[in-house]
Amino acid sequence: MRIDARGLTFEVHADGPDDGEAVLLLHGFPQHSGEWVDLLPALHAAGLRTYALDQRGYSPGARPAAVEAYRLAECVADAVAVLDALDVPAAHVVGHDWGAIVAWALAAGHPDRARTLTAVSVPHPAAMARTIAGDRRQKARSAYMGLFRKEGTAEKVLLAWQAAALRKLLGGVGNRERIDTYVRPMREPGALTAALNWYRAMSGRELVATGPVSVPTTYVWSDRDTAVGRTAAEACAAYVTGPYRFVELTGVSHWIPDEAPGALAEAVLAQVEAVR
């Protein structure tokens, strides 16, 4: 379905029982709502109604040109506005990668709209920003962001030779066909630039300013994540004041929803069940 909100048009993929508790799913870079496809059957079987949002820059009708339009506050406001348009007072919020950052900020700033939070791969924004600043290993893991912030250069590097670098980045998601489902939309005119604008608009000050999360929270991290190390993952707990659970997946890469959907579904459902 298409949702008009904040002067933009978002693609939202709704499924599951009409009367089920709402789950808002927020994808990361450089993917889209399709990253949740293998998670959905378990959520629907548990009676949940899912809303997988193609976020700002990924929905063709929600692709503003200005870099400033991709600041975290704007992306959080989109998620809240979509919930309003769906007439969903509060949802179980699940986010991966950049979607996790939006989910953390949504739960921190709008606790009345998040019944629970399940953040995947990326820890609380303040934990991430402070670890990048203070831990040399995490700084090295995050060095790729420097390239992503270079306008024009990043697009050329990632899309050269039939998007070879972008395909390599996504290597952990599965077979070539699955990688193609993510790469193909990024090769459309303006799409990759819009997705990279999330990095270009990123502000360390804004990340650090994200408040503590009081809603019941699960953070799912995997020990083969090349982008997020253990120091940042374990720092996350200090930014949650409500019930908190840390789930570590062994032998799994950054691409948890694609690589370990069963384990992730189990973590989400455990969090949902805990508040029923």
Side-chain angles (χ1 to χ4, degrees):
M1 68 173 69
R2 290 177 178 165
I3 297 292
D4 293 324
R6 308 188 70 224
L8 303 171
T9 301
F10 294 91
E11 303 290 335
V12 180
H13 301 269
D15 206 347
D18 289 339
D19 60 350
E21 296 176 34
V23 179
L24 178 65
L25 298 154
L26 303 170
H27 67 84
F29 173 89
Q31 298 175 283
H32 49 65
S33 58
E35 76 167 287
W36 305 110
V37 65
D38 292 334
L39 195 75
L40 297 181
L43 302 188
H44 298 157
L48 299 171
R49 176 74 169 171
T50 58
Y51 298 98
L53 169 64
D54 284 329
Q55 298 196 80
R56 174 177 295 240
Y58 296 85
S59 287
R63 197 170 283 166
V67 170
E68 296 77 15
Y70 294 85
R71 289 182 57 202
L72 177 57
E74 297 293 337
C75 301
V76 172
D78 291 342
V80 172
V82 167
L83 289 177
D84 288 341
L86 292 168
D87 197 24
V88 174
H92 300 284
V93 181
V94 182
H96 173 242
D97 188 75
W98 263 108
I101 294 178
V102 174
W104 282 112
L106 189 160
H110 305 271
D112 58 317
R113 308 307 299 270
R115 297 189 63 185
T116 66
L117 167 65
T118 302
V120 188
S121 297
V122 178
H124 187 283
M128 190 67 189
R130 288 181 169 134
T131 305
I132 291 173
D135 182 84
R136 62 180 179 82
R137 291 187 179 87
Q138 184 57 55
K139 187 174 293 186
R141 287 175 181 268
S142 302
Y144 68 91
M145 294 183 189
L147 169 63
F148 287 4
R149 289 167 69 89
K150 293 180 180 178
E151 297 184 39
T153 301
E155 287 88 338
K156 289 179 182 178
V157 169
L158 292 172
L159 293 179
W161 299 102
Q162 303 296 310
L166 191 60
R167 293 177 189 280
K168 183 177 180 180
L169 173 69
L170 288 161
V173 306
N175 59 30
R176 181 182 179 86
E177 182 179 351
R178 193 172 186 98
I179 291 172
D180 281 344
T181 66
Y182 300 129
V183 171
R184 196 177 302 112
M186 288 292 96
R187 298 182 71 187
E188 295 173 1
L192 181 58
T193 293
L196 289 168
N197 279 345
W198 286 59
Y199 290 93
R200 294 162 185 166
M202 182 175 60
S203 161
R205 181 176 299 178
E206 189 175 26
L207 296 179
V208 169
T210 305
V213 172
S214 60
V215 306
T217 297
T218 294
Y219 172 47
V220 183
W221 174 77
S222 45
D223 65 355
R224 291 191 180 176
D225 191 322
T226 58
V228 181
R230 184 175 296 278
T231 300
E234 293 183 349
C236 189
Y239 298 90
V240 182
T241 59
Y244 178 68
R245 182 179 177 223
F246 175 47
V247 176
E248 178 178 340
L249 304 181
T250 58
V252 178
S253 75
H254 177 78
W255 311 103
I256 293 174
D258 297 272
E259 192 175 348
L264 180 54
E266 183 178 324
V268 172
L269 292 174
Q271 183 61 274
V272 170
E273 189 61 33
V275 300
R276 279 181 167 169

